[in-house]
Structure formats: structure tokens, C-alpha cells
Amino acid sequence: MIYAKKTTRHIVRHSDTDDWGIGYYGTYFNWYEAGRTELLKKIGINVKSLEEKGTLVPVIEAKNNYFAPVKFEDQLTLESALTEIGNTHFKVDFTLSKGKQVVSMGHTVHVFTDKNLKKKKVHAKMVALKKRHEK
């Protein structure tokens, strides 16, 4: 189920590439983080504000499949979709495209915790979003 979606754009910087001029594999997760942050803002959750109030949102799972390379100055479109909301965790799926070509797909799973990394219930806005979609 897709609870919320956000599209963002990225241009591959030189520093995003490896010695062969191909997008460095780890950089994809930086793009995913930017997309996820914008997605959470869209539903009313500000990660910085959460952290200032003592709530963390660490990654507990990250996966990515690479289908085609990206290169310096490629223009990319990232679709981030909130696809799972549990009691303490949520999952975001990502599809990264260059034009009409999907270049990678992945996901991250996060939990809400306090500063001691003790799990907390998901944000109330996620609970409300889940209830609206399950009617």
C-alpha cells in the first residue's frame, strides 16, 4: 500500500561518482535520504524537530538494486513512497530514474527511538495516515 508519495530531482555531481565516472553505489542512499526527508515533511514530520525533542529515526534495513549506471550531470528523478507503517517502524520504497529509464530501486526501513535507542511508537501523523488509508 502507498500511504504517501513524493518526487524529487537530483543532478549527479562529480563528487557522486567513482574513479570510473559512474555514480558511486553509496551515493544512492544519500539521494534516498534526501527523498525520504522531503516525503516525511510532506506528511508533516520534520526530522530535525524530532531529533531536537529527543526522537531518533535510525535505519534498520537498507537495500538497493542497480539496473543502469548514472554519470556526472545526469538528471535524475526519485520517487519516494511510504509503503509500510508498523507500530514502531516504517518503510520507504525508492525508484530512481534517468528520463524514462529506471536506474535503481531500493528501500529503507526505520524505527522511532529515544536517544537511548529504545523503540517508540511511530509518529502520530503516521498513525493517522494509516487509519485514513485502511478505511
Side-chain angles (χ1 to χ4, degrees):
M1 173 174 289
I2 296 177
Y3 295 100
K5 233 190 315 191
K6 177 72 176 169
T7 300
T8 53
R9 306 220 185 290
H10 303 275
I11 296 176
V12 179
R13 298 172 302 170
H14 191 268
S15 62
D16 295 332
T17 63
D18 60 20
D19 291 342
W20 305 285
I22 305 296
Y24 180 67
Y25 75 93
T27 303
Y28 290 69
F29 289 102
N30 291 332
W31 296 325
Y32 291 176
E33 179 182 358
R36 181 180 59 252
T37 300
E38 292 303 312
L39 173 64
L40 292 176
K41 282 182 188 175
K42 179 180 177 179
I43 63 172
I45 299 173
N46 183 297
V47 175
K48 183 177 180 182
S49 177
L50 285 178
E51 289 175 355
E52 289 169 351
K53 295 175 183 172
T55 297
L56 307 178
V57 191
V59 175
I60 60 168
E61 180 179 309
K63 182 177 185 336
N64 197 46
N65 292 307
Y66 305 89
F67 305 117
V70 298
K71 297 182 178 180
F72 176 53
E73 292 192 342
D74 280 350
Q75 295 188 20
L76 308 175
T77 301
L78 176 65
E79 183 178 281
S80 306
L82 178 60
T83 58
E84 188 175 312
I85 301 171
N87 290 328
T88 60
H89 78 280
F90 66 96
K91 179 181 178 186
V92 179
D93 289 332
F94 304 99
T95 302
L96 188 65
S97 302
K98 180 173 61 174
K100 293 184 180 188
Q101 180 183 27
V102 173
V103 296
S104 72
M105 294 176 76
H107 72 262
T108 56
V109 178
H110 304 260
V111 293
F112 284 90
T113 72
D114 62 19
K115 287 188 176 186
N116 295 317
L117 301 179
K118 182 179 177 194
K119 288 183 182 179
K120 298 172 71 171
K121 292 197 179 287
V122 295
H123 195 282
K125 292 191 179 193
M126 283 190 179
V127 173
L129 187 62
K130 184 176 181 180
K131 285 181 182 177
R132 280 196 307 270
H133 279 82
E134 291 180 347
K135 286 184 179 180

